[in-house]
Amino acid sequence: MSYDASKIDKKWQKYWEESSTFKTKHDSEKDKFYCLDMFPYPSGEGLHVGHPRGYVATDTFSHFQRMRGFEVLHPMGWDAFGLPAENYAIKTGIHPKITVEKNIENFKKQLRAIGFSYDWEREINTTDPEYFKWTQWIFIKLFEKGLAYEDTRPINWCPSCKTGLANEEVVNGLCDRCDAQVEKKDIRQWVLRITKYADRLLEDLEELDWPESIKEMQRNWIGKSVGAEINFKVKEINYDIEVFTTRPDTLFGATFLVLAPEHDLVKKILSKDVNIENLEEIKNYSEKTKKKSELERTDLAKEKTGVEIKGLKAINPVNKEEIPIWIADYVLGFYGKGGIMSVPAHDDRDYEMAKKHNLEIREVIKGGEIPYIGEGEMVNSGEFNGMKSEKGKEAILELLEKEKRAKRAVNYKLGDWVFSRQRYWGEPIPLVHCENCKIVPLNEEDLPLKLPETEKYEPTGTGESPLSKIESFVNTKCPKCKKDAKRETNTMPQWAGSCWYYLSFIMRGEKENMEFPFSEYKKSFEKWLPVDLYVGGAEHAVLHLLYARFWHKFLYDIGVVSVKEPFKKLKNQGLIMGEGGVKMSKSKGNVISPDQVIKEHGADVLRLYEMFLGGFEDKVSWSETGVSGMRRFLEKVEENSQKVKEVSPSKNLERILHETIEKVTSDVKEFKFNTAISSLMILNNEFRKEKEVPREFFLVFIRLLAPFAPHFAEEIWEEVGEKPSVLKQSWPESIKEKMKKESFSIIVQINGRVRDTITVNQGEDKEKVKEEVLKSEKVKKWIEGKEIKKEIFVPGKLINFVI
RNA sequence: GCCCGGGUGGUGGAAUUGGUAUACACGCACGACUUAAAAUCGUGUGCCAUAAGGCUUGAGGGUUCGAGUCCCUCCCCGGGCACCA
């Protein structure tokens, strides 16, 4: 028996569209459930089977939640700013807008073919001016609140993309997009003060139902360390060196200071007349460091280099010892105070440094082999000897604070977010530079500020955006004083549009065009936020997922939204690899497109197989023969549908039915789609054994199957004489009573090894079971002539004799 | 180096609180149908052994009547972080 999948797919997709089956009722009375996919960048290549994995999961879950009585918001949109369309424009002269439109059309066609239950009426596109007027509006608010500022400083520059990058976009010193070696360059930039939110971004992670690994990555990225800044006087000149440390308790072991080569003191001695014996040497080392790339400098394997500043000594504030001052490139200029107190006995790096340059290593914490990093009892620390190091931290700090030689301090690895790009295809930053009024944001009524039309998209490479070459765009009037002024020409990064898009889907339910102001949407936000379930790839851990949380917290602060976090529960889908576990790639020619699978087997086989492949968060490999197994499953269901009759079911079948309801329900809740499907298969196999399938049971089965194979389920539902849509039916409920077995197989163990199984009735007590068991020939054979020392009886499960 | 995941048949993968390891699916073998093949259906399928039985969840040890599951030591694979003081 076979069925025409493509006919069924089309029929039901048309039906759903025409009867608006999945339109979200904005002001529904039901409890809401917001189920969101990370929206895609519509690339020219289209989808491969890896993309829809997350989408299938959220779609299955959305159906499940609808059937359980929730009003589900399940939207889709396009994150369409970005370099590929722009690079394509540079090559071909075709405007990115055109390319993006074409790609979206293709993506949408592919997604529709899978039959997702998106409410397409709420579709958004980040490059649509009606959308990005809001991105610009939020930027203006950030600017007004002092959270967006202009800055010129050395930032990461990708020479290939010809634009500045955020720290988050640099991976091992390479550009996250194109893998080019990133350089440092001084460019005027717009920077967002994400560091102001560092503590809240860190603390609020606790309340999120996210994978622990993603939370950990964000914690590491924020990199909070609590400690103190300690002040060392320089003996020869009037200068204080401040260092940041998390271990004030080791201060007596600080046998030298190390400064980054770009430290202020180094600049000072190079420019001023201070009596330094080895000025040339210091100058050379400093120069050499500048030439090193970040990658070279942070290479852990390399030896510790450095130069002593001969002629200067620092004074340790706690014991007044005079200690040498070094410069070395293992100390980073941009972190903490750009200098450290070196405690070689209790820090690996300082230990290496001391070994290499014959510096004093003095144990001050007892506890293990030098270098010993842990806590312990303080020694060689004057009045603090014998104190536990945890207590010593406090004690030393208190002493120094009194003398004004130290203050408590917190440091973060997280830096402010470099937010401007020197490229064409992004949201223009809505600011104007005016000679009188300095920097002035556009008025709300002047938004959106659209991108100017041009033929030339090439980045200039000079640190200026291509927009700066377009005079009609650059020259404008100041919104405040109306005099001639110039527009800001940098654009926003890729990540801007995705920082708030989950709000736009709610807004679209309120107003088609998302008109200003935000206050119009407050009630809707209150109803629909937060996103209850958010699904996407793990690669956005410290990019989109961090940036969006930052913007959301800002919007919370200015009263737009009333929940602290945007995404309550997060799930990451695992990668889908090609046959044999190799990565799918064009060059290997092993890319499988969902279109192929749909053409051959239909959308539901694709959906089922993607969910059956393995654990949702695990990396899995595609297999062609595996796909055909799913096809067989559906064909067998179709066969069973032919046997549906009004007959009274057996107790056994009833039990299995209710077990299946129970299993599928709990599995879907836990995102264990693979085992949910396998239990559906088991029930279907039970139906196959029956001459006639009880109609009532079969209908329950189809309802359970519907979220996984919606087209097919609708068709069978109709075929057995029910009215569509099965997806509008309620979710079946299991009844505990019906899951009880009348008789049990009891495992009989001798010394913990299984020797026999016997069948007993429900609720039999130990003595009765034992009596039964001892009748068994197999058991007799093992027990004969032995003494039973102990009996363990687990009701309904097993009996174990120890002999 | 540090922090998370993992390691189960030929393959993808299942196993509530410790209680029949290998569900479900793929593959394979044999049989039926067929002139034949494909498809389909049926049977079998962890390993060793003719059998009785023995062995088996990366390796070794421990706790327990009983361990894939708990504890200790180690190996391997995947991911993340990594001079952040």
Side-chain angles (χ1 to χ4, degrees):
Chain A
M1 196 50 78
S2 183
Y3 68 97
D4 185 348
S6 75
K7 209 170 118 194
I8 292 175
D9 286 357
K10 290 204 182 86
K11 172 179 166 187
W12 291 102
Q13 281 163 20
K14 193 168 162 234
Y15 171 85
W16 294 329
E17 200 183 338
E18 282 171 0
S19 48
S20 298
T21 313
F22 308 124
K23 186 176 156 63
T24 307
K25 207 171 157 221
H26 193 66
D27 47 7
S28 169
E29 300 279 293
K30 294 180 191 170
D31 287 341
K32 66 95 186 184
F33 191 85
Y34 190 174
C35 188
L36 185 65
D37 293 300
M38 289 187 191
F39 65 159
Y41 174 79
S43 73
E45 281 105 57
L47 296 173
H48 70 68
V49 289
H51 287 101
R53 190 168 185 207
Y55 306 157
V56 172
T58 51
D59 205 61
T60 303
F61 206 86
S62 294
H63 282 310
F64 174 68
Q65 290 294 72
R66 285 189 197 102
M67 292 176 83
R68 297 211 307 152
F70 289 90
E71 189 67 33
V72 174
L73 175 56
H74 186 42
M76 185 39 92
W78 316 103
D79 190 16
F81 276 125
L83 285 187
E86 183 174 342
N87 289 337
Y88 189 70
I90 292 165
K91 231 169 45 190
T92 62
I94 296 169
H95 196 286
K97 201 161 55 185
I98 314 268
T99 317
V100 160
E101 248 167 53
K102 214 183 88 204
N103 290 350
I104 287 178
E105 199 186 316
N106 182 40
F107 258 68
K108 202 168 161 180
K109 204 180 88 202
Q110 287 187 298
L111 290 182
R112 280 183 173 263
I114 306 173
F116 290 129
S117 62
Y118 295 124
D119 181 353
W120 285 107
E121 286 176 34
R122 300 195 188 208
E123 179 184 358
I124 54 98
N125 171 354
T126 55
T127 64
D128 178 354
E130 289 310 309
Y131 179 92
F132 72 65
K133 69 182 179 207
W134 278 107
T135 316
Q136 290 173 329
W137 185 91
I138 299 170
F139 179 86
I140 289 172
K141 289 299 147 196
L142 285 160
F143 173 76
E144 288 172 353
K145 300 283 172 189
L147 291 167
Y149 61 97
E150 205 180 15
D151 194 18
T152 303
R153 59 165 154 184
I155 57 131
N156 301 303
W157 171 265
C158 173
S160 160
C161 298
K162 298 196 171 76
T163 181
L165 299 172
N167 294 338
E168 288 79 13
E169 292 169 296
V170 181
V171 179
N172 293 325
L174 304 179
C175 171
D176 194 28
R177 275 212 51 81
C178 69
D179 281 348
Q181 178 99 199
V182 168
E183 298 163 358
K184 287 282 172 190
K185 193 163 174 168
D186 285 308
I187 321 174
R188 187 186 63 87
Q189 293 288 342
W190 281 95
V191 185
L192 298 189
R193 221 179 282 282
I194 190 172
T195 48
K196 207 186 156 196
Y197 284 79
D199 265 323
R200 282 160 67 191
L201 287 168
L202 186 67
E203 279 161 22
D204 292 345
L205 279 173
E206 299 312 313
E207 66 188 56
L208 294 179
D209 184 6
W210 284 22
E212 199 44 48
S213 61
I214 301 279
K215 291 208 227 177
E216 194 58 26
M217 274 156 91
Q218 292 211 350
R219 281 187 206 110
N220 287 339
W221 189 259
I222 294 167
K224 182 178 184 174
S225 33
V226 178
E229 282 161 17
I230 298 178
N231 198 296
F232 287 72
K233 272 194 184 318
V234 180
K235 186 184 164 203
E236 292 78 4
I237 55 172
N238 182 22
Y239 190 94
D240 287 3
I241 298 172
E242 290 205 308
V243 300
F244 176 75
T245 180
T246 55
R247 294 296 298 272
D249 52 308
T250 62
L251 188 52
F252 282 85
T255 49
F256 54 98
L257 296 188
V258 186
L259 308 181
E262 52 271 67
H263 193 275
D264 219 39
L265 177 65
V266 180
K267 284 182 196 146
K268 204 178 174 107
I269 58 172
L270 287 177
S271 62
K272 278 202 185 139
D273 194 23
V274 187
N275 192 20
I276 308 292
E277 297 163 35
N278 58 341
L279 205 58
E280 271 308 301
E281 205 187 349
I282 291 165
K283 214 169 165 176
N284 288 341
Y285 187 81
S286 228
E287 292 291 316
K288 233 165 74 189
T289 306
K290 251 187 229 167
K291 286 194 193 118
K292 278 188 187 173
S293 71
E294 185 114 344
L295 202 60
E296 283 174 285
R297 204 171 149 177
T298 54
D299 181 7
L300 259 166
K302 92 179 159 36
E303 281 203 321
K304 296 272 177 294
T305 59
V307 177
E308 187 183 352
I309 301 180
K310 289 182 180 157
L312 295 183
K313 293 275 185 218
I315 298 168
N316 186 332
V318 79
N319 57 7
K320 310 294 181 262
E321 242 176 34
E322 291 177 17
I323 57 175
I325 307 169
W326 283 67
I327 61 170
D329 65 4
Y330 82 91
V331 173
L332 306 169
F334 55 83
Y335 184 79
K337 290 275 152 184
I340 60 160
M341 63 180 218
S342 199
V343 185
H346 306 293
D347 182 282
D348 290 323
R349 298 149 300 178
D350 296 345
Y351 180 79
E352 277 175 49
M353 182 71 185
K355 273 276 171 205
K356 173 83 188 165
H357 301 281
N358 271 322
L359 296 158
E360 190 193 342
I361 300 168
R362 186 193 305 154
E363 180 179 48
V364 291
I365 308 287
K366 242 167 66 184
E369 203 185 318
I370 301 293
Y372 171 69
I373 315 300
E375 305 284 343
E377 187 191 319
M378 293 169 74
V379 292
N380 295 322
S381 298
E383 55 184 292
F384 300 97
N385 282 344
M387 200 180 265
K388 287 254 178 275
S389 53
E390 290 95 330
K391 258 183 100 181
K393 266 179 207 168
E394 244 342 272
I396 289 190
L397 249 177
E398 265 166 37
L399 177 75
L400 292 179
E401 267 179 324
K402 258 183 234 156
E403 296 172 10
K404 300 242 185 289
R405 305 305 304 170
K407 59 174 187 267
R408 278 153 218 274
V410 177
N411 259 305
Y412 300 92
K413 283 204 271 184
L414 180 72
D416 276 340
W417 177 12
V418 174
F419 193 70
S420 45
R421 298 293 176 273
Q422 293 71 48
R423 298 284 309 217
Y424 175 80
W425 191 232
E427 300 90 342
I429 291 181
L431 297 175
V432 166
H433 298 264
C434 166
E435 274 187 28
N436 294 326
C437 318
K438 304 235 163 88
I439 298 164
V440 184
L442 296 190
N443 292 319
E444 199 172 280
E445 59 269 23
D446 294 326
L447 297 180
L449 171 61
K450 293 185 190 172
L451 279 166
E453 292 297 324
T454 179
E455 311 266 283
K456 296 198 175 74
Y457 308 99
E458 283 88 352
T460 61
T462 60
E464 293 267 9
S465 139
L467 297 186
S468 65
K469 296 269 193 299
I470 305 170
E471 299 218 344
S472 60
F473 176 80
V474 175
N475 295 320
T476 183
K477 304 279 179 205
C478 170
K480 220 184 199 169
C481 70
K482 311 295 178 203
K483 286 190 184 141
D484 284 349
K486 295 204 181 296
R487 284 195 197 281
E488 169 63 48
T489 56
N490 279 321
T491 54
M492 298 189 200
Q494 261 248 252
W495 313 103
S498 59
C499 278
W500 69 279
Y501 79 110
Y502 56 94
L503 298 178
S504 69
F505 294 122
I506 298 172
M507 292 159 76
R508 287 295 308 278
E510 187 78 37
K511 289 186 177 190
E512 179 89 33
N513 283 327
M514 301 197 285
E515 287 102 354
F516 293 126
F518 252 141
S519 54
E520 299 282 309
Y521 307 95
K522 197 161 164 88
K523 272 224 167 93
S524 303
F525 289 150
E526 262 165 36
K527 176 178 163 75
W528 288 97
L529 288 177
V531 173
D532 296 283
L533 175 64
Y534 193 33
V535 175
E539 69 274 14
H540 293 117
V542 294
L543 289 158
H544 160 63
L545 286 170
L546 189 65
Y547 295 151
R549 290 182 64 220
F550 162 46
W551 276 40
H552 185 92
K553 285 183 181 309
F554 170 69
L555 293 172
Y556 174 81
D557 288 351
I558 62 170
V560 171
V561 296
S562 47
V563 287
K564 283 200 243 167
E565 285 285 335
F567 315 120
K568 193 160 122 199
K569 185 184 176 96
L570 176 72
K571 282 275 179 189
N572 299 122
Q573 80 267 25
L575 290 176
I576 295 187
M577 312 299 275
E579 205 111 10
V582 284
K583 206 169 175 167
M584 282 193 196
S585 73
K586 257 205 273 183
S587 59
K588 288 196 195 81
N590 62 348
V591 177
I592 295 167
S593 131
D595 302 353
Q596 275 166 256
V597 183
I598 291 172
K599 199 173 157 202
E600 223 172 305
H601 303 287
D604 291 330
V605 168
L606 174 78
R607 296 174 65 122
L608 278 167
Y609 186 59
E610 296 234 349
M611 293 296 93
F612 187 70
L613 259 171
F616 179 70
E617 292 175 284
D618 299 336
K619 191 195 230 178
V620 289
S621 305
W622 192 264
S623 143
E624 210 38 63
T625 50
V627 177
S628 54
M630 282 303 131
R631 174 65 181 239
R632 263 173 243 166
F633 167 54
L634 291 186
E635 277 166 3
K636 284 172 193 165
V637 175
E638 213 267 343
E639 248 172 73
N640 284 334
S641 76
Q642 311 288 328
K643 300 192 295 184
V644 168
K645 286 265 160 59
E646 297 283 358
V647 289
S648 56
S650 71
K651 280 262 183 253
N652 183 51
L653 196 60
E654 184 175 53
R655 200 196 73 240
I656 294 168
L657 180 85
H658 282 274
E659 280 173 357
T660 308
I661 297 171
E662 177 68 24
K663 177 81 175 144
V664 173
T665 306
S666 61
D667 278 355
V668 172
K669 278 186 196 164
E670 290 167 57
F671 258 55
K672 290 155 98 177
F673 302 109
N674 52 341
T675 48
I677 292 169
S678 94
S679 63
L680 288 171
M681 287 171 166
I682 292 169
L683 179 58
N684 191 52
N685 290 343
E686 288 299 318
F687 286 155
R688 288 189 84 204
K689 292 179 197 161
E690 308 281 325
K691 268 216 173 69
E692 295 172 326
V693 177
R695 181 182 169 83
E696 179 201 345
F697 283 15
F698 191 74
L699 293 179
V700 170
F701 170 71
I702 294 301
R703 275 148 71 199
L704 294 175
L705 178 66
F708 300 92
H711 310 83
F712 179 84
E714 291 277 32
E715 183 69 16
I716 298 290
W717 187 255
E718 194 182 55
E719 227 168 76
V720 297
E722 295 292 318
K723 280 213 180 84
S725 153
V726 64
L727 295 164
K728 291 280 184 187
Q729 300 295 311
S730 65
W731 188 252
E733 284 192 39
S734 60
I735 300 165
K736 262 219 168 78
E737 271 307 302
K738 310 227 156 155
M739 280 158 32
K740 274 197 183 142
K741 284 184 181 176
E742 287 178 328
S743 59
F744 283 93
S745 287
I746 291 266
I747 306 149
V748 185
Q749 295 184 332
I750 316 285
N751 288 344
R753 311 203 57 132
V754 180
R755 293 304 178 191
D756 199 7
T757 58
I758 62 155
T759 304
V760 298
N761 291 331
Q762 168 81 270
E764 303 258 301
D765 68 359
K766 184 182 160 187
E767 287 313 309
K768 193 85 196 281
V769 171
K770 187 180 168 187
E771 197 182 299
E772 285 296 315
V773 165
L774 292 179
K775 285 184 199 156
S776 152
E777 287 301 320
K778 280 190 194 164
V779 174
K780 271 186 200 157
K781 197 178 99 191
W782 288 97
I783 294 190
E784 211 136 78
K786 309 267 168 60
E787 176 202 356
I788 296 175
K789 284 186 189 152
K790 201 173 166 187
E791 295 161 7
I792 295 112
F793 179 63
V794 184
K797 280 241 162 86
L798 64 80
I799 187 159
N800 186 11
F801 298 110
V802 184
I803 56 173

